[in-house]
Amino acid sequence: MGLIVSALGVGIALLSLLWDVWKSRSGGSGYGFIFGRSARGGALHYLKALEGDDGYFDNVPSAGALREGLARGLVEGIVRSYSKKRHRVISGTFDTLAALAFYVGSAYCLIVLVEEWFKGLGKARLVQLVLAGLDFVAPGFVLFELILLIGLVVNMLRVSYLRIRARWYRKASQAREVPITYVRELISTKKRFLFMDATLCSGYYPVVTDQCSAVRSLLAAAYSGGDACELRRTELGQVKEKGYKECVIRLVSAFVRQFIGGRDEDVTLFVFSEYGVTSVEVVNALRNQGFVAYDLGHVSDRERIFMRSITQMTLLWDCDLMGG
């Protein structure tokens, strides 16, 4: 009986944790999301009432403004919900390792519970075979979990070290970072904008560029033009490469030719890189060529936030709901 109670307790705890993880990754709105009840439903209900066939609001001057406000809020709510669900997948090394560690640890707990349950079923041959199999599998899960946890710690230490050095570099360069949450205030409905991944190094996978159509990669422009400089493993190593600044100027010129069309193009650029290091010199090069460019800093461990924000702002701009 005690084993059953313990199993139920562990099961409830695991389900609760899974529920919290799902909510944080999916952007769902709890039980209201599951049963289809949300603020969007209320806005849609009132909008339909204003557009009814009874004609009650046809001669009310403020009804038109109210319809427009409700419709705008409804569209923005749909866009926010879509952007969250569109990018709820795991991204980045830390997310992947953490998810694997959680699933492997949960599987091991399940194996232990099943093993304890089978031990109470007697000495039957089938029971003994199952127990032998569980005894064989369990150490493998323990070893795998240990490797994942070590990987998590190593990754955290590496990222922390690189981020501290990157912060020092940005401070010495007097680089000013614009938070991603303020980008919307800098976008106009009359001026095209573009997000630019300015990461220059070999040990980087462009997650944001890969999933957001509004993002262009500086490295892609470099490779397509055959003008890529020698790449180091990290951004911090790249800035120490001989001729780094000259290389950035060449790559930015290639980027402008390929993705913007020329220096006379009226476009605002929002620049970021993995640790916010190479983005500093890229922003300077863009401004020297006459462009309006803002440095968003590092994207490392913020990939999901960037992807959601970029998707949301792009859709709102396409709907003429962005800026002034």
Side-chain angles (χ1 to χ4, degrees), residues 200-202 223 227-233 237-238 241-242 244 247 250:
L200 282 177
C201 65
S202 61
Y223 284 129
D227 194 24
C229 56
E230 184 176 351
L231 298 179
R232 298 300 182 185
R233 180 67 181 171
Q238 193 69 45
E241 178 71 15
K242 184 178 180 180
Y244 163 69
C247 176
R250 294 198 311 272

Side-chain angles (χ1 to χ4, degrees), residues 109-121:
C109 290
L110 183 61
I111 289 174
V112 172
L113 290 172
V114 171
E115 188 175 21
E116 290 298 324
W117 183 68
F118 266 89
K119 285 180 179 179
L121 297 180

